[in-house]
Amino acid sequence: MSFKIIFTAGLAALTLPALAEAQMTIENAYARSSGPMARSGAAFMTITNSGDTDDRVTGVLSDAAARVELHTHIGDENGIMRMRPALDGFPVAAGATLMLQRGGDHVMFMGLTAPWRDGGEVIVTLLFEHAAPMVLRIPIDQDRPPRSGSASD
C-alpha cells in the first residue's frame, strides 16, 4: 500500500464525522428597523438543525451596521424585559428549531450604514460552532406583522 492511499484513507476517516455534524437551514428570515431614519434594526428567522450534532449560533457579521450582535431579552428583578447581547450565542440542538423573533432572541444592528427601505435586503453571515458559516440575503420588511398577532415575532 502506498503512502498516497494511506493518506487518502486517513483523510477520509477524518472528514466523515464532519458529514454527520449539524446541518442548518434558515427559513422565514426578514429584517426591519424602527423607521426610515432609524439608526438600529433587527433580523428575525427560523434556524433548524436537521443534523445529529448539537450546534450553536456563535456570531453574526454584516456591513449593514457599525455593530452587529446576537441579542436576547432578559427579565430583570422587576419583571421588566431588557435587551442584552447574547455573549454565548444561541444553542440549536440536533433536530431542533430556534426562533429568532421579536421580543426574544434576534440579530441586532446598531449604527446602520444606510437607511433600510422596504423591499431592500441586508446581507449577513451567521457563524456556528460546528456548521459552516451561512451567508444570507435577508429581505427588509418594515410592515410584517408579528406572528399570530403577538409581539413575539
Side-chain angles (χ1 to χ4, degrees):
M1 186 182 275
S2 76
F3 175 78
K4 184 176 182 181
I5 294 171
I6 292 170
F7 177 77
T8 304
L11 183 60
L14 289 174
T15 58
L16 284 178
L19 297 176
E21 289 182 356
Q23 299 172 8
M24 305 306 225
T25 56
I26 310 294
E27 296 179 304
N28 302 317
Y30 73 101
R32 58 179 285 140
S33 65
S34 57
M37 301 308 291
R39 298 287 302 144
S40 63
F44 313 99
M45 65 198 74
T46 303
I47 303 171
T48 301
N49 179 353
S50 58
D52 56 9
T53 300
D54 292 348
D55 207 342
R56 175 176 296 277
V57 181
T58 58
V60 61
L61 306 170
S62 179
D63 291 334
R67 284 184 26 214
V68 185
E69 300 174 347
L70 300 175
H71 270 214
T72 192
H73 283 81
I74 299 172
D76 68 13
E77 63 277 356
N78 298 318
I80 297 172
M81 298 300 285
R82 304 224 184 255
M83 193 173 13
R84 299 282 186 253
L87 300 177
D88 294 329
F90 306 130
V92 189
T97 297
L98 169 67
M99 301 287 294
L100 300 188
Q101 57 193 356
R102 295 186 210 174
D105 299 338
H106 60 279
V107 176
M108 188 72 196
F109 299 81
M110 294 160 285
L112 297 180
T113 56
W116 285 9
R117 303 211 189 310
D118 225 17
E121 65 183 14
V122 178
I123 299 172
V124 302
T125 302
L126 286 182
L127 306 174
F128 298 92
E129 190 171 65
H130 300 292
M134 295 181 74
V135 177
L136 308 171
R137 298 178 84 85
I138 301 175
I140 297 170
D141 187 347
Q142 303 286 33
D143 298 323
R144 184 179 297 196
R147 274 197 196 166
S148 305
S150 72
S152 65
D153 181 34

